[in-house]
Amino acid sequence: SFGPWGTTDHMMGIVLGLPIARVLAARFGEWRVYVIAFLLYAAASFLCATSETIWFFVPMRFALGLAGGVIIPLGQGLSLAEFPEHRRGYGAALWGVISMAPFTLGVFMGGFWAEYFNWRMLFYSNILFGLPIAAIVGALLYGRATPRRFVRFDLVGFILLGTLILLVQTILNQGNDFDWFGSPVLITLLLIVVVVLPVFIFWELGERQPVLDLWLFAKRNYAVAMLCSVVGFLVIQGTLSVFVGQLQTLLGYTSSLAGVVYLTMALLATPLIIFVHELVRDVDLRLVCCINFIGFAVTLTWLGLYDKTASFDQIATPMVFFGFFLATFFAPTAALGVQGLSGARLIRAAEELTMLRTAFGAYGITSQAVVQFRRAPFHQLGLADQLGGRRFPSLDVLQTLMDKFQSLGMSETIARAQVARTMRQQALLMGLDDAFFFGAVVFALLAGLVWLAKGPPCKVAPEI
């Protein structure tokens, strides 16, 4: 159950690395910071690969995410700068295709490495790629003049934000293991969050260059798009992370085969995402988002209808459509959020949208696991009542099931253990279905919420 700690703290490192990237790039130049960040990424990967305890591994994963949070926006900026002005749209589309890799190719690569080699090789491979990337980019861009300027950094706001998101994530990570608020430690963390949150809000509202510009939420489209984006990604990231684990522990998939399931999402997503950036320019973004959210609701309901250990094709088919809607999720919500903004405010809005979306994705990993963890005992109790005849005495099938197992050569003790094992597996599977249904309900609500945003400005016909 400590497994999600490394993933969620890594994502929190990415969140905190994003605002650092903007300040460092302005002070030292984009390509210099990019190269150094890749060197630090390789160093953090080595420490992750050689770690022997969870208490060392998790901080190193956070450091890895911090370097990654610096790399992501700088990599996008440097790549788009290489395109001519009239070709920047193609560059953005290419970046969109690459952004699907962590959800598809990344999961497959991770499963393949872990099954056929060793999980530590995942981090050693970061070094094998990271060091050549740093060397090649540094060699190609060495000597290129870049404007350098001093940018004010909101250190107090950064510390307060880091305290908030890390403490909330720690509460979610450890809740199931340490009895939530039956734990004095978690209660203390919650009290700190309650105190720090209003302090952070008041500080940011009065800061000239805040780490998180809360005044942007006064823009209706930004507020609606932010809510839809972070809540939607909470469901998406949480569902994908919980499902890939349950494919292995519950349904018996190997890690590489579970990766192949996720690889199927790229079948429709990769060609579609190329056109999304052009599509959002000419249509009502609310309509695009609404259709996307309804598609997610239908797909998640589809995935949640299984009550048995589904075969590969039964799972892979809805995952293809999941990838289709994943490809059309990011660009429309981001475009809706920055609608009506320009210049520095547009850049800040896009950056903050990415920050909070990533943070809530980490929250989703643990929150969706909580849904399954809490619902599984409920279903197990229901199955016990069903099999024992306490719910419907005329439909007591326990003895029939016992007789069937014993006819296969099992003793009564082994048959009872097999019945209990089957009930536990089915209860966990039904709890996983509830996580899917929860996500479907959330997306159905978001499909209505998105219409609270303002529509596109009306085009005035020219006077004749």
Side-chain angles (χ1 to χ4, degrees), residues 243 246-254 257-258 261 299-319 425-426 428-430 432-433 436:
F243 194 34
Q246 294 305 311
L247 282 173
Q248 299 170 70
T249 59
L250 184 58
L251 302 184
Y253 282 55
T254 63
L257 186 58
V261 171
T299 305
L300 287 169
T301 302
W302 187 0
L303 284 166
L305 290 177
Y306 297 122
D307 58 356
K308 59 183 182 299
T309 52
S311 62
F312 177 84
D313 58 332
Q314 289 176 301
I315 294 175
T317 303
M319 290 301 286
Q425 183 188 46
Q426 289 298 311
L428 286 169
L429 185 58
M430 294 168 72
L432 180 63
D433 289 344
F436 288 130

Side-chain angles (χ1 to χ4, degrees), residues 383 401 405 417-428:
L383 290 172
L401 188 60
F405 282 142
Q418 182 61 39
V419 170
R421 188 181 303 110
T422 303
M423 285 172 51
R424 176 62 176 168
Q425 183 188 46
Q426 289 298 311
L428 286 169

Side-chain angles (χ1 to χ4, degrees), residues 376-390:
F378 170 81
H379 290 298
Q380 189 169 359
L381 181 61
L383 290 172
D385 288 342
Q386 179 77 26
L387 289 176
R390 288 185 290 273

